[in-house]
Amino acid sequence: MIDAEEHTRRRERLGELLARRGLDALFVPPSSDLEYLTGIERDLPTFGNISYAHGWVTGAFLAPGREPVYVLPRMFVRFHLDGDPPPGTIVVEDDGDGRAALRQALGELGGPRRIALGQRSWAETVVELLAAAPGVELSEGSALVNELRRVKSPVVLELMARACLIARETMAAVEPLVVPGTSMSDLAEQVEHELRARGSRCPSFPTHIFTWGERRLDSGG
């Protein structure tokens, strides 16, 4: 389990990296990077996008030497954080002003002039940042987080080993079901069941069953 101290250490390393690159802040929208740096979990994979009022401003500004500045729509707080936002979060009500919330966040950061953006930021986020801070210099920021994520801490290595064990045990449990007459959908469902039963939050990507010859896509044949 990743604890608050681990997230703090990661943000400290990020702050050092931002300072070395001459960047004032990094904006991170909901993503694996936001989870890595703050602990706010990403959504389970979906076919579409969840649309909330002021959804474009959802995320956190991370700057050297300070706590994250979160800007979150009310519905994100309600449905993703059980109504309990991080301390100091700027919460945007449904009928509120997302642009004003963005300006408030930039003001709390002291008016940053060079901001890196996570690669999953909305185009609207970019447009609104340029309007809120004329002359601001924007750059791609996920590569910076990738530099940090390439170096694994002991706790992450332990979790990776646990994930490998879950995968091996899942494949061993499903292997006896790979017999003539079993459908791919049945196998995929059982794989995901076994993963969850062993503690996996969800598959990292759609579960694929690769076969040769005729494919059976449903349980009826």
Side-chain angles (χ1 to χ4, degrees), residues 57-70:
V57 80
T58 311
F61 286 95
L62 306 171
R66 63 159 301 143
E67 291 298 304
V69 177
Y70 297 92

Side-chain angles (χ1 to χ4, degrees), residues 188-202:
E189 181 179 1
Q190 192 62 30
V191 165
E192 295 187 8
H193 169 77
E194 296 291 343
L195 288 171
R196 288 181 179 275
R198 288 168 170 77
S200 173
R201 190 197 310 172
C202 69

Side-chain angles (χ1 to χ4, degrees), residues 39-181:
I40 292 182
E41 294 183 353
R42 75 200 93 166
D43 280 336
L44 303 186
T46 61
F47 279 100
N49 292 307
I50 297 171
S51 181
Y52 293 148
H54 315 293
W56 59 269
V57 80
T58 311
F61 286 95
L62 306 171
R66 63 159 301 143
E67 291 298 304
V69 177
Y70 297 92
V71 187
L72 305 174
R74 179 200 67 86
M75 293 182 71
F76 185 93
V77 173
R78 176 66 182 85
F79 295 118
H80 298 260
L81 302 179
D82 295 326
D84 185 23
T89 296
I90 301 169
V91 178
V92 189
E93 299 297 331
D94 298 354
D95 58 353
D97 188 338
R99 295 184 177 92
L102 176 61
R103 291 193 297 271
Q104 180 183 341
L106 294 175
E108 291 187 13
L109 292 167
R113 305 308 302 165
R114 300 189 68 206
I115 301 175
L117 294 170
Q119 62 186 11
R120 295 187 180 275
S121 300
W122 292 106
E124 189 173 1
T125 308
V126 177
V127 171
E128 295 294 351
L129 270 171
L130 291 172
V136 68
E137 179 183 335
L138 302 180
S139 62
E140 197 283 317
S142 291
L144 299 174
V145 185
N146 287 342
E147 287 188 35
L148 305 180
R149 295 180 65 169
R150 284 198 295 266
V151 180
K152 309 300 184 185
S153 66
V155 66
V156 171
L157 292 174
E158 182 179 343
L159 289 173
M160 292 173 66
R162 174 61 181 156
C164 290
L165 178 61
I166 289 174
R168 287 198 301 270
E169 290 180 346
T170 293
M171 296 310 295
V174 174
E175 184 179 359
L177 303 178
V178 184
V179 295

